Amino acid sequence: MQITPLTGAGAEITGVDIRALTAPQFDAVRQAYADHGVIFFRDQSLSEEDHIAFARRFGPININRFFLAHERYPEIALVLKEKEQKTNIGGGWHTDHSYDAEPAMGSVLVARQLPDEGGDTWFASMYTAYDTLDADTRNEIDSLRAVHSAKHIFGSQTDNFYKANEDTGGRIGNTAAADVLEDVAHPVVITHPLSGKKALYVNPAFTTRIAGYSDEASSALLMRLYAHAMNPDHAHRFKWQPGSVAFWDNRATWHWAMNDYHGERRLMHRITIEGCALN
Ligand SMILES: O=C(O)CCC(=O)C(=O)O
Ligand SMILES: [Fe+2]
């Protein structure tokens, strides 16, 4: 088994069948995941059961409240864009689940049907984003907290790339679940629960404000942090192939699913693993 760091973010793990990881291989995979924030595998052949079994080795599975589920396996959420649909899921920089008090650890995404060209996913390292901030900004944000919400993204009153309208074909199964979610606050800089490294933990989709700042100061700081975190030097563009698997950590990375394959169908199976409160 070989672990190769990639440009920008993440690492590729080769020479391994993730259906049959030995205990030492599993430990090495988990360490690579903690160190790099996202890991990629190629040429895997996972059935739905294999996918579930791999995810379960990392923790309990989070059943998604908003996305459509696989018809036989409720643990698997469908990340689907049909031929005739124009918007996709995740088409902007974000990290999943920051609107929860205990945000999910991450997701294992398996490619099931890919367009001939396009449909890549970008991942950005929030370890690198934090480490490369100037010292004054790091000092300013080290003790701040930010508020996160899902209402404006998944709720019934939204109008954005996730919306369950005729175009998205009701991909978001349950907007009412988002309407009743309480907003939560997390530190702007977290100590990552697996690696112990510091990571920037705000994101353009779900973070609504810096706690205790005026609207103006809050937007100014968030815009500055986002502009820095979006630097392509901190990101890796992953090109999917049949058999590709990506496993990202929501606390150490952002991701962005490109929407450049209109007229073709793309189907991914996603399993999300529970996380913990962040400090
Ligand atoms: O389709 C993808 O590549 C990722 C979509 C996304 O944002 C997610 O599954 O959380
Ligand atoms: Fe996502």
Side-chain angles (χ1 to χ4, degrees), residues 51-160:
H51 186 183
I52 294 169
F54 176 65
R56 279 224 176 98
R57 291 182 78 167
F58 291 88
I61 290 172
N62 170 288
I63 309 270
N64 197 279
R65 290 158 289 178
F66 310 125
F67 293 172
L68 296 180
H70 189 293
E71 56 180 15
R72 277 172 293 124
Y73 300 94
E75 297 92 339
I76 299 178
L78 303 183
V79 177
L80 171 65
K81 182 175 179 241
E82 295 283 9
K83 263 197 192 127
E84 60 282 3
Q85 293 178 323
K86 286 286 180 277
T87 57
N88 70 335
I89 289 179
W93 281 121
H94 68 286
T95 194
D96 305 331
H97 286 266
S98 72
Y99 45 81
D100 285 327
E102 298 190 353
M105 176 174 96
S107 289
V108 182
L109 195 68
V110 173
R112 294 297 180 195
Q113 187 179 351
L114 294 168
D116 288 341
E117 288 294 337
D120 298 354
T121 308
W122 285 89
F123 292 88
S125 169
M126 293 303 114
Y127 292 142
T128 309
Y130 178 76
D131 291 342
T132 53
L133 279 168
D134 61 86
D136 286 348
T137 306
R138 285 206 303 266
N139 284 337
E140 178 182 358
I141 66 177
D142 268 339
S143 55
L144 293 175
R145 294 173 71 79
V147 180
H148 299 248
S149 176
K151 290 193 192 68
H152 61 293
I153 302 285
F154 294 132
S156 55
Q157 303 305 311
T158 58
D159 188 13
N160 63 34

Side-chain angles (χ1 to χ4, degrees), residues 66-69 78 80 85 89 162-175:
F66 310 125
F67 293 172
L68 296 180
L78 303 183
L80 171 65
Q85 293 178 323
I89 289 179
Y162 277 111
K163 192 179 177 193
N165 54 24
E166 44 315 324
D167 170 53
T168 57
R171 272 188 318 224
I172 307 301
N174 188 4
T175 54

